Amino acid sequence: MLTPLGLITVLIGAALPMIDFFIVNVALPTIDRDLHAGPAMLEMVVGGYGVAYAVLLVLGGRLGDMIGRRRLFLWGTVAFGVTSVACGLAPDAWTLVAARVAQGAASALMLPQVLATIQATTSGQRRGKALSMYSGTAGVASAVGQVLGGVLVSIDLLGTGWRSIFLVNAPVAVVALLLAVRTVPETRSAHPTRVDGPGTALLSITLVSLLLPLTEGRAAGWPAWSWALLAVFPFAATAFVLVERRAERAGRTPLVPPSLLRIKSMRSGLSMLVPFSLGWGGFMFVVAVALQDGLRLGPLAAGLALLPLCVTFFIGTLIGPRLVGRLGRRAVTAGALVQATGLISLLATFSWGWDGLGAIGPAPALAVLGLGQGLLLPLTIRIILSEVPVAQAGVGGGVLVTTQQSFMALGVATLGTLFLSLAPSMGMRDALTVTLAAQLVAVAATVALSLRLPRTVR
């Protein structure tokens, strides 16, 4: 049984990698000046973490099912703390990139165990509440990451500058580790299976061949290797699907069981999570750049500008579970529509009020946007996992988080590339307007796909 303190402990562990996905955004200009990194290296600082994180998440979930979720959570927490210190002490850009890749791998060990532990140790209303708290943590942490990054860079903690955004993780990881030893119960699958070697290799190739060229290609000038990897992607993806189907038909347990994706709640929920994550990842990156390089806000002001979104997102996570009892899946659709309203308002704010906008100007639109996302994301995650058997909790959580993180990274690559490509010729305001309009298409897809979710939410 997961106690309230145990739940808080695993949520701290969940927040750390989510915060770190975004915390570097507002620090990139400072890192560039200090390490003479250049655009390509800065993309690798962001993309290297995201690619390693996404590639290894499903494997992390499977290992937790096999050898114990609490054990993997502890190992991941230790590794995350150590790699965070390595990032903070990095003497040059290449060392920072390598440490960020290792940090992403550590996150992939830790995060799937959170959802799997919640699934395995709670039921009924307690599970619904715990999943809502997890989802709220996921959404708020992504926005808080940029706020916290701006604050830490601005106050120059003990003269560490941008390095503090990584070094601050170490004491938090130590606290999470000590609490986890005492409060998190050990769980594992009743019938553990060996790691699916061919499936793991093919999934890794599939994700790397898509995410690596899209996250690094533009900054590197689209070299031949980026096009070669993109050409590999469809073949690797097809081979992965075929190998997993064959393994399940043969009675083995594949890395991503196709039968898991035949569960209606999982299939419909993941299809909705795709456009949401794509837009969300790109939005946070693009807005961080626009606030600093476009509106000329400092790191602190740029981070605090997102505070209204954080606050209302949290409020949305509290309201959502109450609405779902009355409205069922319509509560998710309502959240998607509120999100669309906020994005349209923000688009209009930037388009018509750019000059002299400052940090306060976008606040009303960001507040509406955050409320919609806070209503939508927790309920979507709850729906996705609602019908997953407890024995597959680890792999189910791994698939969910892999989908979320992969498409967030893809959003940074696609919407970020669109924005950065248009900005030199169109200017920051018009480039941002076009990019937010592109995100609005993803939000419209989210609204439409919400209608395919199960009518009742468990």
Side-chain angles (χ1 to χ4, degrees):
M1 184 70 70
L2 189 62
T3 64
L5 184 57
L7 177 60
I8 291 172
T9 301
V10 294
L11 291 180
I12 292 172
L16 284 173
M18 295 174 188
I19 287 174
D20 243 61
F21 188 88
F22 291 100
I23 198 170
V24 297
N25 286 347
V26 294
L28 290 176
T30 311
I31 294 172
D32 188 16
R33 288 193 296 271
D34 189 22
L35 300 183
H36 310 290
M41 294 300 294
L42 291 177
E43 292 270 5
M44 291 177 71
V45 169
V46 177
Y49 176 89
V51 171
Y53 190 14
V55 164
L56 296 173
L57 274 166
V58 176
L59 178 61
R62 170 57 58 83
L63 289 173
D65 288 346
M66 290 174 55
I67 65 178
R69 292 152 189 154
R70 175 176 174 271
R71 181 180 298 180
L72 258 291
F73 182 82
L74 295 176
W75 290 358
T77 303
V78 170
F80 186 85
V82 171
T83 53
S84 294
V85 172
C87 290
L89 299 178
D92 54 57
W94 278 110
T95 305
L96 178 58
V97 169
R100 283 284 285 171
V101 171
Q103 191 184 38
S107 298
L109 287 181
M110 181 167 52
L111 190 60
Q113 318 317 324
V114 176
L115 276 174
T117 298
I118 290 173
Q119 283 287 95
T121 59
T122 61
S123 60
Q125 284 189 328
R126 289 188 69 248
R127 177 181 295 176
K129 184 177 180 180
L131 289 175
S132 292
M133 291 179 68
Y134 168 85
S135 305
T137 301
V140 172
S142 58
V144 165
Q146 301 201 161
V147 175
L148 181 62
V151 171
L152 290 174
V153 171
S154 296
I155 65 176
D156 192 19
L157 190 64
L158 300 178
T160 55
W162 61 267
R163 298 177 185 276
S164 62
I165 68 175
F166 300 114
L167 296 175
V168 74
N169 290 333
V172 180
V174 169
V175 170
L177 181 69
L178 295 176
L179 287 174
V181 169
R182 298 175 60 87
T183 64
V184 177
E186 181 64 282
T187 62
R188 56 171 57 85
S189 175
H191 305 287
T193 57
R194 292 184 299 175
V195 171
D196 174 16
T200 301
L202 284 170
L203 180 61
S204 300
I205 294 170
T206 299
L207 292 174
V208 168
S209 63
L210 177 65
L211 295 177
L212 187 60
L214 289 179
T215 54
E216 310 301 336
R218 184 200 62 83
W222 296 108
W225 64 260
S226 64
W227 296 108
L229 281 177
L230 285 173
V232 167
F233 167 71
F235 297 101
T238 301
F240 173 69
V241 172
L242 293 175
V243 165
E244 297 298 272
R245 285 178 178 173
R246 187 179 303 163
E248 191 165 51
R249 278 204 263 351
R252 300 190 298 273
T253 304
L255 183 70
V256 180
S259 59
L260 190 69
L261 300 179
R262 288 194 289 270
I263 297 173
K264 184 178 180 181
S265 65
M266 174 70 76
R267 185 177 64 254
S268 60
L270 286 179
S271 68
M272 183 181 158
L273 193 64
V274 164
F276 175 85
S277 301
L278 188 75
W280 176 241
F283 173 84
M284 296 302 290
F285 175 79
V286 166
V287 168
V289 174
L291 290 175
Q292 291 189 78
D293 293 346
L295 296 180
R296 303 298 177 187
L297 301 180
L300 177 60
L304 292 177
L306 294 169
L307 195 57
L309 186 148
C310 301
V311 173
T312 55
F313 192 108
F314 182 70
I315 292 171
T317 65
L318 300 178
I319 296 172
R322 300 176 184 177
L323 286 180
V324 77
R326 300 180 191 172
L327 303 177
R329 75 177 181 194
R330 287 178 295 174
V332 181
T333 304
L337 289 171
V338 173
Q339 180 194 13
T341 302
L343 187 60
I344 292 170
S345 301
L346 188 64
L347 198 159
T349 299
F350 284 133
S351 181
W352 295 321
W354 182 262
D355 295 330
L357 190 61
I360 303 298
L366 286 171
V368 176
L369 182 67
L371 180 63
Q373 291 171 333
L375 289 171
L376 184 155
L377 185 60
L379 300 181
T380 302
I381 291 177
R382 178 175 167 183
I383 288 169
I384 290 171
L385 296 175
S386 62
E387 299 174 7
V388 175
V390 171
Q392 292 182 307
V395 68
V399 169
L400 187 157
V401 181
T402 297
T403 302
Q404 186 179 19
Q405 295 301 322
S406 297
F407 282 92
M408 283 173 64
L410 195 59
V412 173
T414 53
L415 293 181
T417 296
L418 175 65
F419 174 70
L420 295 174
S421 299
L422 294 176
S425 59
M426 298 179 64
M428 282 283 178
R429 183 191 67 179
D430 291 343
L432 182 59
T433 300
V434 172
T435 305
L436 292 181
Q439 186 193 352
L440 192 58
V441 175
V443 173
T446 303
V447 174
L449 290 168
S450 70
L451 302 175
R452 298 177 56 193
L453 295 173
R455 291 183 179 275
T456 57
V457 180
R458 295 185 184 182

